[in-house]
């Protein structure tokens, strides 16, 4: 990366930091009523360098790397202008790594809500600090997407492991469901791990080529990404809308609802979210009912236990995969085999014979699944209007195939009723707009890959490289700060790539007002300086 390119990257990061307003808030927290010697390094400059360090060029975001950016990578004129390079008594001086670390640690201390590092905070102060810190970091992430871009109405949600640099500690106790890990009486607050990172905990993750072990020591990154309408120009644009970081093994229900309340609902009043099978296992009263109360629709996959038919004793309907069916549905239709993938990619032109056989088998299995789901549709009830405020839903009973009912089934309420109401506790846990497995469900659920692709970009070596050791800070607040910087860098690069493919000047994109005609942002319609292609506006 040339100096000019690095300058552009730094300018873009600095623009994001200034737009978010986070630097002014932190400076206010750091201000001493007694005054003192002026710092050579400003908060906004440090944060911008941290975002740049999270790019694929540097491969890590350690203190040494960030300090090198602030002393060697940026051009001398900028360093002098920003007070990072100065001459005193004929001797040239640069920012020392000790000065950098002093400010970084001061920022973390001002944001820190860890009871292990800030035992002086009360429970109320700790929770208030967590809320403000998370809000500020999400404001930073929000500023990394141009205000011109339309708000998404569908979002994908997932969690990913963030290992800490510390060696594992000794505590493996999982908090109780519903327990607030920030409370004074929580296991996380009371227990000591005797590890260098006192906030990290043991957790589980999915094994991949980069993570051979299922267990890890660290945190869970709980994040939400945009999923734009298929076929629209924005569909390829998958950016992070917000996140929160929690100790591994912490129940994610409450943090996820907080994420929806703070990040999604303010811009999308009635959004749709896409979740995986793990979310379908959460208890109805702490997840599905909470979504309904917020006006949120969910598309989720089913666990193996969810594919077992259950009879509602009140009406006689059979609940299967979150959808009601009449009791005279042939039992063999409920023994369907879930396909490995709901969509199959085309076969490579020079695929091996073995790959061809596997591809053909996958196509046959998927076709059998589609046929069985379609056959089940004959016996499925049809929603009649919207769900009620209490979560109940009225359904139409299918008129065909009633002759298949047994004498006992003809005495059930469902047999004679043309329409009937199912209680919230019967349908709510797995309630979805479309029946599981149908083409409409698959079309919507397949958009969940946006969050998996975004996590992959964060952890890939060609992306932010967020694997163990990418940053060597420890503690939940310092890790959250570095994670936010990596997410901002990911968003900047994702937007730049999307803009390039659509012949849009991404500098003009950041500068545009909401509602601007996209044709006005095309490269041939924007007078870009050759010195700063796609650079952010001067501030």
């Amino acid at each position: 990366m040339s100096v000019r390119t690095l300058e552009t990257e730094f300018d873009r990061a600095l623009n994001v930091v200034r737009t978010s307003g986070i630097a002014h808030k932190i400076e206010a927290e750091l201000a001493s009523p007694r005054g003192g010697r002026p710092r050579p390094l400003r908060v906004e400059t440090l944060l911008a360098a941290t975002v740049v360090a999270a790019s694929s060029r540097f491969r890590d975001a350690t203190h040494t790397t960030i300090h090198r950016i602030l002393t060697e990578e940026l051009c001398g004129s900028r360093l002098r202008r920003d007070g990072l390079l100065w001459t005193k008594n004929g001797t040239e001086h640069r920012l020392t790594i000790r000065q950098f670390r002093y400010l970084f640690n001061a920022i973390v201390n001002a944001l820190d809500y860890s009871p292990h590092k800030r035992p002086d905070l009360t429970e109320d102060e700790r929770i208030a600090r967590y809320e403000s810190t998370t809000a500020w970091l999400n404001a930073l992430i929000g500023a990394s997407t141009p205000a011109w871009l339309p708000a998404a109405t569908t979002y994908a949600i997932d969690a990913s492991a963030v290992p800490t640099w510390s060696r594992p500690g000794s505590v493996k106790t999982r908090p109780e469901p519903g327990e607030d890990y920030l409370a004074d009486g929580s296991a996380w607050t009371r227990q000591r791990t005797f590890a260098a990172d006192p906030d990290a905990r043991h957790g589980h993750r999915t094994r991949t080529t980069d993570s051979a072990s299922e267990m890890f020591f660290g945190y869970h990154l709980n994040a939400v990404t945009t999923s734009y309408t298929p076929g629209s120009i924005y569909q390829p644009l998958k950016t992070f809308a917000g996140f929160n970081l929690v100790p591994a093994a912490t129940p994610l229900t409450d943090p996820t609802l907080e994420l929806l309340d703070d990040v999604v609902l303010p811009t999308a009043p009635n959004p749709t979210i896409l979740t995986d099978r793990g979310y379908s296992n959460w208890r109805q009263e702490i997840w599905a009912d909470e979504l309904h109360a917020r006006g949120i629709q969910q598309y989720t996959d089913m666990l193996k236990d969810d594919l077992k038919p259950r009879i509602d004793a009140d009406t006689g309907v059979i609940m299967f995969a979150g959808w009601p069916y009449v009791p005279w549905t042939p039992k063999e239709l409920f023994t369907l085999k879930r396909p490995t993938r709901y969509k199959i990619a085309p076969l490579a032109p020079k695929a091996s014979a073995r790959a061809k056989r596997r591809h053909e088998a996958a196509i046959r299995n998927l076709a059998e699944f589609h046929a069985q789901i379609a056959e089940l549709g004959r016996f499925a009830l049809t929603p009649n209007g919207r769900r009620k405020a209490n979560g109940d839903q009225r359904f139409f009973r299918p008129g065909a195939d009633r002759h298949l009912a047994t004498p006992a089934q003809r005495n059930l309420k469902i047999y004679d009723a043309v329409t009937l109401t199912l209680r919230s506790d019967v349908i709510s846990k797995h309630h979805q707009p479309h029946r599981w497995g149908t083409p409409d469900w698959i079309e919507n659920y397949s958009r969940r890959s946006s969050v998996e692709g975004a996590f992959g970009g964060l952890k890939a070596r060609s992306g932010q490289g967020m694997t163990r050791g990418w940053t060597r800070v420890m503690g939940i607040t310092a890790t959250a700060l570095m994670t936010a910087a990596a997410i901002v860098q990911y968003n900047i690069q994702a937007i730049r790539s999307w803009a390039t493919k659509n012949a849009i000047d991404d500098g003009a994109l950041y500068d545009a007002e909401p509602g601007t005609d996209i044709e006005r942002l095309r490269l041939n319609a924007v007078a870009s300086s050759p010195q700063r292609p796609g650079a952010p506006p001067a501030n």
Side-chain angles (χ1 to χ4, degrees):
M1 185 183 293
S2 67
V3 172
R4 180 179 297 169
T5 305
L6 182 66
E7 292 291 319
T8 299
E9 295 295 332
F10 188 86
D11 281 339
R12 174 58 43 79
L14 188 61
N15 178 265
V16 169
V17 173
R18 288 173 174 171
T19 302
S20 72
I22 181 177
H24 295 297
K25 295 175 182 178
I26 295 176
E27 291 282 10
E29 291 288 328
L30 298 180
S32 170
R34 298 189 302 272
R37 181 183 298 177
R39 283 184 276 105
L41 179 61
R42 297 194 302 271
V43 170
E44 66 175 25
T45 308
L46 184 149
L47 293 178
T50 303
V51 171
V52 173
S55 66
S56 59
R57 179 201 182 200
F58 294 100
R59 304 294 183 188
D60 63 55
T62 61
H63 283 185
T64 302
T65 298
I66 302 171
H67 176 256
R68 190 172 83 244
I69 292 172
L70 292 171
T71 54
E72 300 176 16
E73 299 287 345
L74 293 172
C75 65
S77 59
R78 175 186 285 277
L79 295 179
R80 288 189 179 278
R81 185 172 66 247
D82 291 346
L84 304 176
L85 175 64
W86 63 96
T87 301
K88 183 177 180 180
N89 298 328
T91 304
E92 187 175 82
H93 297 270
R94 293 176 184 265
L95 180 78
T96 66
I97 194 167
R98 182 174 179 272
Q99 290 173 313
F100 163 77
R101 285 177 173 156
Y102 173 83
L103 179 57
F104 184 91
N105 292 334
I107 292 172
V108 171
N109 190 62
L111 301 177
D112 209 347
Y113 50 88
S114 165
H116 308 103
K117 293 198 171 187
R118 292 297 305 272
D120 55 310
L121 299 177
T122 66
E123 178 180 313
D124 290 342
E125 290 172 336
R126 184 161 58 250
I127 293 175
R129 180 74 65 81
Y130 161 78
E131 292 174 348
S132 62
T133 297
T134 303
W136 291 1
L137 295 180
N138 279 327
L140 184 65
I141 292 171
S144 66
T145 57
W148 172 86
L149 289 173
T153 57
T154 301
Y155 296 84
I157 296 177
D158 206 352
S160 185
V162 179
T164 181
W165 177 240
S166 166
R167 290 184 177 274
S170 59
V171 174
K172 296 184 179 181
T173 305
R174 181 180 178 86
E176 294 295 326
E179 179 184 56
D180 187 346
Y181 72 92
L182 289 168
D184 283 340
S186 72
W188 182 69
T189 300
R190 290 183 288 102
Q191 292 178 345
R192 297 179 61 192
T193 63
F194 301 99
D197 188 337
D199 300 327
R201 293 294 183 268
H202 291 272
H204 292 268
R205 62 182 170 188
T206 303
R207 291 189 181 185
T208 64
T209 54
D210 293 326
S211 56
S213 173
E214 181 182 345
M215 291 292 297
F216 77 100
F217 187 66
Y219 306 93
H220 269 127
L221 165 60
N222 200 32
V224 55
T225 62
T226 57
S227 180
Y228 285 100
T229 306
S232 71
I233 190 175
Y234 309 106
Q235 180 186 0
L237 188 57
K238 299 172 177 61
T239 58
F240 285 92
F243 87 109
N244 50 37
L245 197 75
V246 298
T250 299
L252 293 175
T253 314
D254 287 342
T256 305
L257 291 174
E258 292 172 4
L259 200 55
L260 292 173
D261 289 338
D262 299 339
V263 174
V264 174
L265 290 175
T267 58
N270 297 108
T272 298
I273 62 171
L274 312 171
T275 60
D276 66 10
R277 300 172 194 170
Y279 295 77
S280 71
N281 199 38
W282 288 353
R283 297 200 317 270
Q284 173 185 325
E285 63 272 17
I286 65 173
W287 179 243
D289 288 350
E290 293 289 345
L291 295 182
H292 177 65
R294 290 165 169 78
I296 300 174
Q297 293 191 119
Q298 175 186 213
Y299 282 94
T300 189
D301 203 356
M302 298 291 135
L303 291 167
K304 185 176 180 180
D305 286 346
D306 301 327
L307 300 180
K308 296 178 180 178
R310 294 175 174 84
I311 298 176
D312 175 31
D314 182 39
T315 61
V317 303
I318 295 178
M319 295 300 300
F320 176 74
W323 202 271
Y325 295 85
V326 292
W328 49 90
T329 306
K331 293 182 179 179
E332 61 270 16
L333 294 180
F334 294 129
T335 58
L336 54 79
K337 183 180 179 181
R338 183 212 306 269
T340 304
R341 290 183 175 85
Y342 297 111
K343 284 189 173 183
I344 300 176
L347 191 64
K350 296 183 179 180
S352 65
R354 181 182 178 186
K356 290 179 180 179
R357 287 194 298 271
R358 294 181 62 183
H359 187 262
E360 291 170 358
I363 291 177
R364 286 196 304 271
N365 292 338
L366 186 58
E368 292 174 4
F369 175 76
H370 283 311
Q372 201 163 2
I373 288 292
E375 185 66 14
L376 268 172
R378 290 172 45 198
F379 304 92
L381 278 66
T382 306
N384 179 14
R386 296 182 179 180
R387 293 178 68 191
K388 298 180 181 179
N390 63 0
D392 293 354
Q393 174 76 61
R394 196 156 186 84
F395 287 87
F396 285 112
R397 170 186 53 76
D401 299 308
R402 293 178 71 209
H403 64 280
L404 297 177
T406 65
Q409 292 169 347
R410 297 185 184 196
N411 293 324
L412 299 173
K413 184 187 297 186
I414 181 64
Y415 184 78
D416 291 320
V418 177
T419 64
L420 81 166
T421 299
L422 295 180
R423 300 187 315 274
S424 176
D425 61 305
V426 176
I427 65 168
S428 183
K429 183 176 181 181
H430 299 128
H431 184 274
Q432 303 187 64
H434 294 101
R435 193 163 54 92
W436 176 81
T438 61
D440 286 335
W441 179 87
I442 291 174
E443 191 62 33
N444 283 278
Y445 183 74
S446 62
R447 296 165 62 183
R448 203 192 72 84
S449 60
S450 65
V451 68
E452 295 174 341
F455 279 144
L458 280 180
K459 297 191 174 185
R461 289 188 176 184
S462 58
Q464 281 54 66
M466 277 183 57
T467 56
R468 184 176 183 271
W470 76 281
T471 182
R472 297 178 184 179
V473 301
M474 287 181 281
I476 191 168
T477 307
T479 305
L481 177 61
M482 298 305 299
T483 301
I487 290 175
V488 168
Q489 181 62 232
Y490 170 88
N491 280 354
I492 289 173
Q493 298 303 329
I495 290 165
R496 177 170 293 156
S497 176
W498 173 83
T500 300
K501 291 177 181 178
N502 289 279
I504 295 172
D505 184 305
D506 66 303
L509 182 62
Y510 275 89
D511 215 8
E513 295 293 331
T516 303
D517 184 1
I518 194 170
E519 292 302 323
R520 296 184 61 186
L521 302 176
R522 300 291 183 186
L523 287 171
N524 58 4
V526 179
S528 297
S529 166
Q531 296 292 326
R532 47 181 293 278
N539 195 320

